[in-house]
Amino acid sequence: MNIQTITKILTDAGIEENEAKKEVKMLLEHFSNYTELDRIRGKVLPDSEWDRIREKAEYRAETRTPIQYIIGESYFMGEYFKVTPAALIPRDETEILVREAIRIIKENELKNVLDIGTGSGCIACTIAKQTDAVVLGVDISSDALRVALDNVTKLGINNRAVFRKSDLFERVREEERFDLIISNPPYIPYGTSVEPEVMHEPKEALFTGENGLRFYREITEKAPKFLKPGGYLMFELGIGEADAVSGIMEKDFREINIIKDLAGIDRTISGKLA
Ligand code: GLN
């Protein structure tokens, strides 16, 4: 057995070749501690290890479980986050949102951040790690919050990112007042078909009503009560949602700024409380 035979198990199941190659490296590194450097140096992996990798690849091919759930980790903004099927897998696009948040936080010396729908805590933990702000992450799912708490420990940011079970603002108090509210809310319209891998992620983290706009509307309507004067609100955007979300935000927010992702899709929106 070798890297090619394992890769073929994945490509035969319809997984794209470059992705398959990347995933085989991830399996080897995670389960057999066999790195790219070991491969280059010609280190031989025992058959028992290959069997183990083959089993994982077969499971991946048969079930289309995302590779991140199989290895239990996902790379985001320079860190490895724990992930389980209780929380959305951090996406590359979300790095654009977090980078912009970090820029705004540093430029304006912001101190208190609220992350709504924190899931794995990837946004909250990265902001807490890379800025001087403290972050409160809220989520409706206790199982997701347990993952987020494990990530606080994993990143060594105790007390800088804290979590609370709350349906949006339900258990956030108005006196808490934040400098910035950030969210990567569920934004895929109900009924949209997605890749088989995505079906393994929590549906309530992905899909919503009002053509995908429900959470942008609800959060934007309530945000002014929980923001300090001049506070910021920012979201990740679903495809084609920029105009609608900017329309929703215009009532109470100014300096609305939209940033595109590498594919040219409007991906991040921010605004300042008027
Ligand atoms: N905040 C998490 C993330 O961006 C979870 C988002 C969600 O579940 N919609 O990955």
Side-chain angles (χ1 to χ4, degrees):
M1 233 174 306
N2 57 35
I3 289 182
Q4 283 69 38
T5 49
I6 305 285
T7 306
K8 190 163 180 306
I9 295 172
L10 300 181
T11 51
D12 284 352
I15 296 161
E16 191 267 323
E17 174 139 20
N18 283 324
E19 173 65 23
K21 285 183 181 161
K22 203 175 78 189
E23 293 188 6
V24 174
K25 284 183 193 159
M26 289 164 84
L27 290 173
L28 283 166
E29 190 160 341
H30 188 81
F31 291 106
S32 301
N33 208 8
Y34 186 87
T35 63
E36 189 60 3
L37 197 60
D38 291 328
R39 188 186 64 76
I40 293 164
R41 287 178 173 157
K43 186 178 161 191
V44 176
L45 199 64
D47 284 346
S48 57
E49 289 299 316
W50 280 117
D51 284 341
R52 188 161 39 168
I53 300 302
R54 180 177 43 78
E55 276 170 29
K56 301 290 179 191
E58 283 170 354
Y59 175 76
R60 165 83 177 100
E62 276 159 30
T63 63
R64 297 297 292 263
T65 301
I67 192 75
Q68 293 88 346
Y69 287 157
I70 294 174
I71 67 176
E73 276 188 338
S74 177
Y75 186 74
F76 181 78
M77 295 279 294
E79 305 280 347
Y80 285 94
F81 286 81
K82 173 181 170 172
V83 288
T84 77
L88 196 80
I89 297 164
R91 299 294 202 270
D92 289 345
E93 302 89 273
T94 305
E95 296 204 359
I96 302 167
L97 174 72
V98 174
R99 281 215 187 83
E100 177 65 359
I102 291 173
R103 189 191 68 74
I104 293 175
I105 291 166
K106 289 191 170 165
E107 196 172 290
N108 300 284
E109 297 181 11
L110 305 183
K111 291 283 177 270
N112 296 299
V113 175
L114 174 63
D115 174 26
I116 300 183
T118 197
S120 65
C122 62
I123 296 176
C125 291
T126 305
I127 292 176
K129 178 119 193 179
Q130 299 194 16
T131 74
D132 291 332
V134 290
V135 188
L136 170 63
V138 297
D139 204 288
I140 195 170
S141 159
S142 315
D143 289 338
L145 289 173
R146 270 188 276 276
V147 177
L149 276 175
D150 283 343
N151 282 321
V152 168
T153 312
K154 210 162 152 63
L155 269 70
I157 44 164
N158 294 40
N159 307 324
R160 308 278 323 291
V162 295
F163 296 97
R164 189 182 301 165
K165 186 177 156 83
S166 176
D167 180 1
L168 304 181
F169 294 100
E170 196 176 24
R171 292 182 193 281
V172 183
R173 292 185 308 276
E174 280 180 37
E175 316 83 78
E176 287 181 277
R177 297 265 170 192
F178 298 90
D179 296 303
L180 183 149
I181 297 175
I182 188 167
S183 184
N184 175 21
Y187 55 60
I188 304 175
Y190 283 134
T192 308
S193 55
V194 292
E195 297 287 306
E197 280 76 7
V198 177
M199 296 305 290
H200 290 265
E201 297 185 90
K203 307 228 168 343
E204 63 277 20
L206 292 161
F207 300 100
T208 192
E210 300 176 26
N211 290 321
L213 300 175
R214 182 191 149 193
F215 289 105
Y216 298 115
R217 183 187 52 73
E218 281 198 31
I219 294 169
T220 305
E221 274 171 15
K222 292 178 185 146
K225 280 203 287 180
F226 296 89
L227 280 170
K228 292 182 196 161
Y232 293 84
L233 173 63
M234 56 196 304
F235 294 111
E236 178 167 314
L237 293 167
I239 295 173
E241 295 177 338
D243 285 348
V245 177
S246 134
I248 292 169
M249 288 177 70
E250 269 164 12
K251 182 173 163 271
D252 291 311
F253 294 85
R254 58 192 168 81
E255 293 177 32
I256 290 179
N257 188 27
I258 294 168
I259 299 175
K260 291 184 192 301
D261 66 15
L262 293 171
I265 296 164
D266 290 331
R267 205 39 101 172
T268 293
I269 189 163
S270 61
K272 195 170 159 61
L273 188 60

